[in-house]
Amino acid sequence: MKTINRKTLLYKTGVEYGDYTINHVLGCSHGCMFPCYAFNLKKRFGLVKTYKDWLQPSLVSNSLELLDKELPRFKNKIKSVQLSFATDPFMMNYPEVSEMSINIIKRLNKDTDYANFDWSNFVFNLVFCATTATIVSGAMAERTKFLSYCVYSAIISAIIYPIEAHWTWGNGFLAAAGFHDFAGSACIHMVGGISALIGAKMVGPRIGKFVKGKDGKIERVNAFPGHNIPIGALGVFILWLGWYGFNGAAATSLSQLASIFVTTTIAPAIATVTCMIFTWIKFGKPDVSMCLNASLAGLVAITAPCDVTDAAGAVIIGVVAGLLVVFGVWVMDYKLHIDDPVGAVAVHCLNGIWGTIATGLFANPAVPGYAIADAAGEEMAGVFYGGGFKLLGIQFGGMCAIILWTVVMMIITFSIIKKVLGLRVTAEEEIVGLDKLEHGLDSGYAGFLTQYSADEMAEAAQAGVSIDQAVPVVAPAAS
C-alpha cells in the first residue's frame, strides 16, 4: 500500500470552479465557518457535487490572531490587528466585497485557464501558510517594528513554507520516503515555532522582563499578565472548533473523519486536564493561561498523527503535550532567557516536534483510512503497534530536514531585516506602547481610553537607550 499524501487526498475530492463557488468561499472565509464546513462535508460524501473545504483552517488562522492580540498588554493591540490584514489577504466578510474582488480578478485574468488551476487547493494552503506566519508574531509581540513584521511574514509565506510544505504534501522527497504529517505538526507548527524562537531571541526581551543583578546575571523573571484572559480563552475555544476542519479537511470517508474528530477531541482535552492538575500541585493554584496554552499544545501535537492514531494513543499524546507546554515556558524564561509573551515556542515548536515523533510511535494500521507506506510501498506502523523503528526513523529524519531548512532561512531572514530595517522599536515606543507611538492611537479600545501616567512618560523620556542597549534588560525605574 503506497502512502497517500495530503495533496493526493485533497485531489480526490474534486473541485467546482463556478462563480458561485468562488464567491461563496471568499464571502464566508471569515464568517459562518462551521456551517460552511458542514455544507462541504455533505458535498464531499456524495449528497451534492464537491469542492474542497479549506474554510475551517481559515478560522484557525484568525483565531490565532485573536489569541495573539489578547495575551499581550493592552497598549500593543493595533499592531496585531494590522498584521492580520498584512498576512491574510482574504479578510473579506461581505459578499459585496467578494463579488467586486472576483470581478476585478476576472478582468485582470481574462486568459487564465481556470478549469486547469486548482484554486481550492491554493487557498487551502494559503490559510495554512497564514497560520505559520501568525505563530511568529506572538513570540515577538510588544517590541517589534511593524514593517519588520510585514517583511518576515512575506518571506515565510513566499519562500520558507511553500518549499518545505511541498516536500511533504506536494509529492516531494519526504512524501516519497513515507514521512507522515497529516495536517501540519511539522510543516506548519514546528516551522512557525522555530521561526518564533529565532525571532524572539534576535529581537531581545521586553524591557523589564528580566532583572539583572550586580554581577550581570539574571536574578528575577517578571511576569507580564495578559490584559484580557476571557477574550484569550474565547480565541482558544474558537481555535479548538476550527481545528476539526484543520485536521479533518482531507478525510476521504466518514469513518476516517469520525476517527480524526475523536483524536482531535481527546488530545487537547487530556492536555488541558493534565496541565491543570500539574500546575495545581506545583503552584498551589490551577494556572488558567497555562491551561489555555495546554489546549493548543494538545491540538498541535495531534495534528500530524490525527488520522493514524487511536484513542489510547491520543490520550498519551495529550498527557505529554500538557506537561511539555509547562516545561517549555519554564525553559524559555529561566534557562534560555528568551521572552515569548504568548508561549508560542512551547506550544507550537515543542509540541510540533512531539506530534511528528508521536506519529512514529502511535501509528495504528487498524485506524480507518490508514495509509502510511515506505518508498517500496510496504505498509509501516508505529513502534507500539508492531512496526519497529522504521517509521520513527523516517519521521525523525524528515523532521530534521525541515528544522535545518527553517533554521538556516530564518537566521538569514532576521539578520538581513535587523541590519537593513531594524527589528526592534525604540525604548520610548516600547514603554509608552506601540499603539500610541507607532500607529497613532491612544488605545485599541475606543471606549476605554487609558491615560499614560506622568511617571510612565518620564520613564520613556529618560530611557534614551539604543536598541543594542535595550536588549540586556534592566528593571524599570520605581514609580
Side-chain angles (χ1 to χ4, degrees), residues 268-449:
I270 295 296
T272 305
V273 173
T274 299
C275 180
M276 181 186 71
I277 294 172
F278 179 79
T279 55
W280 206 332
I281 295 172
K282 177 72 174 176
F283 306 115
K285 302 286 184 181
D287 189 322
V288 176
S289 62
M290 191 70 77
C291 288
L292 294 175
N293 268 345
S295 300
L296 300 183
L299 289 164
V300 170
I302 200 63
T303 295
C306 64
D307 66 318
V308 296
T309 304
D310 57 20
V315 168
I316 299 173
I317 290 170
V319 169
V320 175
L323 297 175
L324 194 57
V325 69
V326 181
F327 172 75
V329 170
W330 176 80
V331 168
M332 290 286 287
D333 279 350
Y334 292 95
K335 295 300 179 180
L336 300 180
H337 303 304
I338 297 175
D339 185 12
D340 179 0
V342 302
V345 176
V347 170
H348 297 279
C349 179
L350 295 187
N351 283 282
I353 291 172
W354 164 234
T356 306
I357 294 173
T359 304
L361 298 174
F362 302 107
N364 182 359
V367 171
Y370 188 90
I372 299 182
D374 60 16
E378 296 181 2
E379 187 179 80
M380 297 183 292
V383 172
F384 297 120
Y385 293 88
F389 291 91
K390 184 175 183 180
L391 177 57
L392 181 62
I394 291 173
Q395 291 297 111
F396 186 78
M399 181 183 71
C400 289
I402 296 173
I403 289 174
L404 180 62
W405 164 254
T406 305
V407 168
V408 171
M409 291 302 297
M410 289 311 301
I411 288 176
I412 293 173
T413 297
F414 282 126
S415 296
I416 293 174
I417 293 174
K418 189 172 184 178
K419 184 72 173 177
V420 176
L421 301 175
L423 276 174
R424 190 170 182 133
V425 298
T426 65
E428 180 184 7
E429 288 173 321
E430 182 178 348
I431 293 168
V432 174
L434 305 182
D435 290 355
K436 186 175 182 68
L437 296 185
E438 196 173 30
H439 299 282
L441 295 173
D442 284 328
S443 172
Y445 299 94
F448 299 90
L449 293 182

Side-chain angles (χ1 to χ4, degrees), residues 446-471:
F448 299 90
L449 293 182
T450 302
Q451 298 298 322
Y452 294 96
S453 67
D455 288 340
E456 286 177 314
M457 297 302 293
E459 182 184 348
Q462 292 172 5
V465 293
S466 67
I467 299 305
D468 293 335
Q469 292 172 319
V471 174

Side-chain angles (χ1 to χ4, degrees), residues 72 98 202 246 335 353 363:
S98 301
M202 293 186 69
F246 200 101
K335 295 300 179 180
I353 291 172

Side-chain angles (χ1 to χ4, degrees), residues 178 189 219 252 266 298:
H189 298 284
E219 55 185 28
T252 55
I266 291 174

